[in-house]
PDB file of all heavy atoms in Angstrom:
ATOM      1  N   ASP A 272     -33.354  38.074  24.455  1.00  0.00           N
ATOM      2  CA  ASP A 272     -33.191  36.924  25.359  1.00  0.00           C
ATOM      3  C   ASP A 272     -34.561  36.435  25.821  1.00  0.00           C
ATOM      4  O   ASP A 272     -35.597  36.722  25.196  1.00  0.00           O
ATOM      5  CB  ASP A 272     -32.264  37.312  26.522  1.00  0.00           C
ATOM      6  CG  ASP A 272     -31.488  36.130  27.085  1.00  0.00           C
ATOM      7  OD1 ASP A 272     -32.063  35.369  27.878  1.00  0.00           O
ATOM      8  OD2 ASP A 272     -30.301  35.952  26.726  1.00  0.00           O
ATOM      9  N   ASP A 273     -34.586  35.722  26.914  1.00  0.00           N
ATOM     10  CA  ASP A 273     -35.806  35.081  27.421  1.00  0.00           C
ATOM     11  C   ASP A 273     -36.916  36.117  27.666  1.00  0.00           C
ATOM     12  O   ASP A 273     -36.645  37.299  27.859  1.00  0.00           O
ATOM     13  CB  ASP A 273     -35.454  34.368  28.741  1.00  0.00           C
ATOM     14  CG  ASP A 273     -36.391  33.210  29.037  1.00  0.00           C
ATOM     15  OD1 ASP A 273     -37.382  33.051  28.324  1.00  0.00           O
ATOM     16  OD2 ASP A 273     -36.106  32.467  29.990  1.00  0.00           O
ATOM     17  N   CYS A 322     -35.742  29.120  31.122  1.00  0.00           N
ATOM     18  CA  CYS A 322     -35.389  29.356  32.523  1.00  0.00           C
ATOM     19  C   CYS A 322     -36.420  30.259  33.204  1.00  0.00           C
ATOM     20  O   CYS A 322     -36.558  30.237  34.417  1.00  0.00           O
ATOM     21  CB  CYS A 322     -33.994  29.963  32.617  1.00  0.00           C
ATOM     22  SG  CYS A 322     -32.740  28.874  31.916  1.00  0.00           S
ATOM     23  N   GLN A 323     -37.149  31.055  32.421  1.00  0.00           N
ATOM     24  CA  GLN A 323     -38.225  31.891  32.993  1.00  0.00           C
ATOM     25  C   GLN A 323     -39.592  31.221  32.783  1.00  0.00           C
ATOM     26  O   GLN A 323     -40.630  31.878  32.792  1.00  0.00           O
ATOM     27  CB  GLN A 323     -38.199  33.285  32.360  1.00  0.00           C
ATOM     28  CG  GLN A 323     -36.864  33.992  32.551  1.00  0.00           C
ATOM     29  CD  GLN A 323     -36.440  34.061  34.010  1.00  0.00           C
ATOM     30  OE1 GLN A 323     -37.239  34.418  34.887  1.00  0.00           O
ATOM     31  NE2 GLN A 323     -35.172  33.717  34.282  1.00  0.00           N
ATOM     32  N   LYS A 348     -29.561  31.733  20.688  1.00  0.00           N
ATOM     33  CA  LYS A 348     -28.965  31.355  21.973  1.00  0.00           C
ATOM     34  C   LYS A 348     -29.848  30.256  22.539  1.00  0.00           C
ATOM     35  O   LYS A 348     -31.048  30.471  22.744  1.00  0.00           O
ATOM     36  CB  LYS A 348     -28.911  32.570  22.905  1.00  0.00           C
ATOM     37  CG  LYS A 348     -28.501  32.232  24.333  1.00  0.00           C
ATOM     38  CD  LYS A 348     -28.332  33.507  25.151  1.00  0.00           C
ATOM     39  CE  LYS A 348     -28.216  33.221  26.643  1.00  0.00           C
ATOM     40  NZ  LYS A 348     -28.131  34.466  27.432  1.00  0.00           N
ATOM     41  N   ASP A 350     -30.581  27.594  25.471  1.00  0.00           N
ATOM     42  CA  ASP A 350     -30.297  27.450  26.902  1.00  0.00           C
ATOM     43  C   ASP A 350     -30.555  26.010  27.362  1.00  0.00           C
ATOM     44  O   ASP A 350     -30.893  25.126  26.569  1.00  0.00           O
ATOM     45  CB  ASP A 350     -31.176  28.466  27.655  1.00  0.00           C
ATOM     46  CG  ASP A 350     -30.513  28.989  28.912  1.00  0.00           C
ATOM     47  OD1 ASP A 350     -29.632  28.306  29.442  1.00  0.00           O
ATOM     48  OD2 ASP A 350     -30.918  30.073  29.377  1.00  0.00           O
ATOM     49  N   TRP A 384     -23.782  26.523  30.351  1.00  0.00           N
ATOM     50  CA  TRP A 384     -23.149  26.947  31.606  1.00  0.00           C
ATOM     51  C   TRP A 384     -21.874  26.168  31.948  1.00  0.00           C
ATOM     52  O   TRP A 384     -21.428  26.157  33.096  1.00  0.00           O
ATOM     53  CB  TRP A 384     -24.132  26.861  32.779  1.00  0.00           C
ATOM     54  CG  TRP A 384     -25.521  27.276  32.443  1.00  0.00           C
ATOM     55  CD1 TRP A 384     -25.889  28.423  31.796  1.00  0.00           C
ATOM     56  CD2 TRP A 384     -26.733  26.555  32.703  1.00  0.00           C
ATOM     57  NE1 TRP A 384     -27.248  28.466  31.631  1.00  0.00           N
ATOM     58  CE2 TRP A 384     -27.795  27.333  32.188  1.00  0.00           C
ATOM     59  CE3 TRP A 384     -27.023  25.345  33.324  1.00  0.00           C
ATOM     60  CZ2 TRP A 384     -29.131  26.939  32.268  1.00  0.00           C
ATOM     61  CZ3 TRP A 384     -28.345  24.945  33.413  1.00  0.00           C
ATOM     62  CH2 TRP A 384     -29.379  25.738  32.888  1.00  0.00           C
ATOM     63  N   ARG A 402     -21.117  28.687  26.273  1.00  0.00           N
ATOM     64  CA  ARG A 402     -20.894  29.264  27.595  1.00  0.00           C
ATOM     65  C   ARG A 402     -20.032  28.321  28.415  1.00  0.00           C
ATOM     66  O   ARG A 402     -20.223  27.105  28.381  1.00  0.00           O
ATOM     67  CB  ARG A 402     -22.234  29.508  28.277  1.00  0.00           C
ATOM     68  CG  ARG A 402     -22.930  30.783  27.858  1.00  0.00           C
ATOM     69  CD  ARG A 402     -22.514  31.950  28.728  1.00  0.00           C
ATOM     70  NE  ARG A 402     -22.932  31.706  30.091  1.00  0.00           N
ATOM     71  CZ  ARG A 402     -24.162  31.973  30.543  1.00  0.00           C
ATOM     72  NH1 ARG A 402     -25.054  32.535  29.759  1.00  0.00           N
ATOM     73  NH2 ARG A 402     -24.476  31.705  31.795  1.00  0.00           N
ATOM     74  N   ASP A 406     -24.150  32.126  35.088  1.00  0.00           N
ATOM     75  CA  ASP A 406     -24.391  33.518  34.691  1.00  0.00           C
ATOM     76  C   ASP A 406     -23.469  34.512  35.385  1.00  0.00           C
ATOM     77  O   ASP A 406     -23.213  34.409  36.591  1.00  0.00           O
ATOM     78  CB  ASP A 406     -25.837  33.900  35.034  1.00  0.00           C
ATOM     79  CG  ASP A 406     -26.839  33.116  34.204  1.00  0.00           C
ATOM     80  OD1 ASP A 406     -26.429  32.201  33.468  1.00  0.00           O
ATOM     81  OD2 ASP A 406     -28.034  33.431  34.305  1.00  0.00           O
TER      82      ASP A 406
HETATM   83  C1  GLA B   1     -30.030  31.445  31.860  1.00  0.00           C
HETATM   84  C2  GLA B   1     -28.924  31.986  30.979  1.00  0.00           C
HETATM   85  C3  GLA B   1     -28.937  33.498  31.006  1.00  0.00           C
HETATM   86  C4  GLA B   1     -30.271  34.003  30.540  1.00  0.00           C
HETATM   87  C5  GLA B   1     -31.382  33.397  31.387  1.00  0.00           C
HETATM   88  C6  GLA B   1     -32.747  33.730  30.846  1.00  0.00           C
HETATM   89  O1  GLA B   1     -29.815  31.747  33.195  1.00  0.00           O
HETATM   90  O2  GLA B   1     -27.680  31.509  31.403  1.00  0.00           O
HETATM   91  O3  GLA B   1     -27.898  34.024  30.197  1.00  0.00           O
HETATM   92  O4  GLA B   1     -30.453  33.675  29.192  1.00  0.00           O
HETATM   93  O5  GLA B   1     -31.278  31.982  31.440  1.00  0.00           O
HETATM   94  O6  GLA B   1     -33.752  33.088  31.536  1.00  0.00           O
END
Side-chain angles (χ1 to χ4, degrees):
D272 209 280
D273 205 352
C322 300
Q323 302 306 313
K348 171 174 168 183
D350 212 337
W384 321 311
R402 278 271 296 276
D406 294 7

